[in-house]
Amino acid sequence: MLQDDALKAQAFAVVEQGSSAADAWWNTLENEIAEYVSSADENFSAKAADLRDIRDRVMRTLEGETKMPMQSGSIFVGEDLPPTLFLETDWSQGGAIALKGGSSSGHVAMLARSRGVPMVIGLGEAWPGTYENAIVDGTAGLVHPAPPPELIAAYAKRSARDAEHRDADRQFLMQPALRRDGTRVDLQINIASVEELGQLDPASCDGIGLMRSEFLFRDGVALPNEDEQYRAYRAMLEWANGKPVTIRTLDVGGDKPLRGLTSEGKKNSFLGLRGIRLLLARPEVFRTQLKALARAAIHGNLKIMLPMVTLPRELEQSAVLLDQCVSELQSEGKVCSRPSLGIMVEVPAVAIAPELFAKAAFFSIGTNDLTQFVMASSRDETSAADLQDAAHPAIARLIAGVTAYGRANHIPVSLCGDMASVPENLPLLMEAGVTSLSVAPAALARVKSALSKI
Ligand code: PEP
Ligand code: MG
């Protein structure tokens, strides 16, 4: 957003009229925020929080502030946490997040999950004020403000036990993922940005099982062009050094709106024009991404994954587009290769009838969306959160069916939904025949440890 010339130009124009930089910036952003807030689309009005974040961050810089905005080890309490504040905060000394609003599938939830920062959402007015001490229990989804000494002692004990478990798990990090009988489980990681890879050793996993490419596409700035995307994808392939890298094509819509691309207002629903449906409706956006991917593919073992596939023709049309993109690149004299094309299994129609997708190069089961659709409970809805149970027998049965179909027909099947990062779910997944998982990087050691006991 800061690279948006329109936004900067307005601020510079005010400076030219004699205002200070801080005043100019503040007033420009206030106008912009007011526009977002007045939007009829709830998702866009929620974006005002991002703009406030940017406004405040630039203000802090203009005012010469250099210290960390939040002390390491603090508990952040608020309506929502801006992603930049999360990224600017040093979480190495602990700390936690307690939100009155928030969503378990939002940007910050994903960042917190991948860094292992405890976070609780949807407190509503249950958070009464500011306290010297509080306990944030991310496992139970509970916040205890001003805890009595007995509770602090009980949690201190639990915290010490958890730390012991983490230490014990850590010895598994650089080992292959093996079950007790020595059966190898393919264990890859889910990532959202190239930056995340900086702290990760590729030897700790079997590759990248899900790269959520929507994080390259940011609201309020121009869509990334072919070269920008190519550079990001290439960096991931170079990091993986020959291990498989599965990059999912743009999956916006529903809880991931993108101004100018996704439908506005109520039409932007989880059941509407999103994922592959949107890409096929906007072929120029899809083609740019496919070209960037085909160019990056020469730098490693790249697979392309299509999100929210419902009908076989979506896969077929995408394959035709990919072939066209490859021929065009070749005639432009650009080196490229054609990656294999697989699909997310996250719409019930696909999980129930996987045989319709025999042409897919691979399946990756997305239990986050599959669960919301099977359980009829929206994944961003705090009041229906207890229905979001990926371990429900109905989901387990679908997973087993897809896995069995894949095995019988030599189509590799992996599972990249968040349920795979939770050790308690692993026996069920092994029972369902799953042999390949993709998890949050912070979960690698504990998943390997849990698998070794199964
Ligand atoms: C899923 O739906 O399970 C998934 C992995 O994708 P996302 O969470 O990005 O929708
Ligand atoms: Mg999904």
Side-chain angles (χ1 to χ4, degrees), residues 105 110 190 210 212 214 248 251 255-256 274 344 346 365-370 379 416-418:
S105 55
M110 276 173 196
N190 294 348
L210 166 63
R212 291 178 160 102
E214 46 277 16
R248 186 174 70 185
D251 183 22
D255 65 335
K256 293 180 276 195
R274 53 171 295 208
M344 289 283 296
E346 54 185 343
I365 306 176
T367 45
N368 305 341
D369 274 308
L370 188 60
R379 60 191 276 193
C416 63
D418 281 0

Side-chain angles (χ1 to χ4, degrees), residues 97-105 109 119-124 141 379 382 385:
I97 303 165
L99 300 181
K100 293 179 192 168
S103 140
S104 59
S105 55
M119 169 165 157
V120 172
I121 58 153
L123 289 169
R379 60 191 276 193
T382 318

Side-chain angles (χ1 to χ4, degrees), residues 12-250:
F12 284 131
V14 184
V15 170
E16 246 147 53
Q17 288 157 20
S19 289
S20 70
D23 284 351
W25 179 250
W26 182 269
N27 293 331
T28 306
L29 269 283
E30 280 296 274
N31 292 339
E32 196 72 13
I33 290 164
E35 245 175 66
Y36 268 82
V37 171
S38 64
S39 163
D41 184 327
E42 269 175 39
N43 288 311
F44 290 155
S45 55
K47 287 280 164 200
D50 286 348
L51 269 179
R52 285 195 193 96
D53 177 22
I54 288 169
R55 176 196 64 195
D56 296 344
R57 197 174 169 198
V58 172
M59 286 303 287
R60 285 200 300 273
T61 309
L62 287 172
E63 285 160 2
E65 184 178 325
T66 50
K67 66 176 168 45
M68 290 301 295
M70 195 161 80
Q71 216 183 328
S72 185
S74 309
I75 297 172
F76 175 91
V77 183
E79 191 57 41
D80 209 344
L81 174 62
T84 56
L85 184 53
F86 181 95
L87 293 169
E88 282 172 22
T89 302
D90 170 14
W91 297 102
S92 64
Q93 304 302 311
I97 303 165
L99 300 181
K100 293 179 192 168
S103 140
S104 59
S105 55
H107 279 132
V108 169
M110 276 173 196
L111 291 169
R113 214 174 280 129
S114 76
R115 300 271 182 94
V117 178
M119 169 165 157
V120 172
I121 58 153
L123 289 169
E125 288 318 306
W127 182 274
T130 304
Y131 293 87
E132 191 67 17
N133 284 307
I135 289 168
V136 177
D137 180 347
T139 309
L142 287 173
V143 175
H144 304 282
E150 315 81 73
L151 196 62
I152 295 182
Y155 267 97
K157 234 188 201 165
R158 217 181 91 185
S159 177
R161 206 182 52 221
D162 286 355
E164 264 171 38
H165 286 161
R166 271 200 303 277
D167 283 346
D169 289 350
R170 208 163 287 140
Q171 64 179 341
F172 287 90
L173 184 63
M174 301 309 291
Q175 308 290 327
L178 300 176
R179 289 172 57 172
R180 201 166 63 190
D181 67 357
T183 316
R184 186 102 154 69
V185 176
D186 176 67
L187 188 60
Q188 305 193 29
I189 53 169
N190 294 348
I191 60 155
S193 68
V194 192
E195 291 77 43
E196 269 178 85
L197 297 175
Q199 300 151 18
L200 290 169
D201 184 340
S204 63
C205 66
D206 296 312
I208 299 175
L210 166 63
M211 193 275 152
R212 291 178 160 102
S213 69
E214 46 277 16
F215 291 90
L216 289 171
F217 296 73
R218 299 198 197 257
D219 242 347
V221 287
L223 298 179
N225 64 26
E226 185 187 308
D227 283 340
E228 285 162 341
Q229 292 191 53
Y230 161 75
R231 283 195 292 273
Y233 304 147
R234 178 181 170 166
M236 289 164 204
L237 287 156
E238 285 173 347
W239 174 87
N241 197 16
K243 288 183 178 175
V245 174
T246 305
I247 298 183
R248 186 174 70 185
T249 55
L250 183 64

Side-chain angles (χ1 to χ4, degrees), residues 418-430:
D418 281 0
M419 76 178 296
S421 298
V422 181
E424 289 73 22
N425 292 330
L426 295 172
L428 177 155
L429 294 179
M430 297 298 109

Side-chain angles (χ1 to χ4, degrees), residues 367-404:
T367 45
N368 305 341
D369 274 308
L370 188 60
T371 306
Q372 80 162 342
F373 297 135
V374 172
M375 304 302 285
S377 80
S378 191
R379 60 191 276 193
D380 62 346
E381 178 55 56
T382 318
S383 66
D386 59 335
L387 295 174
Q388 280 279 310
D389 176 16
H392 189 281
I395 315 285
R397 195 174 300 170
L398 290 175
I399 294 171
V402 172
T403 308

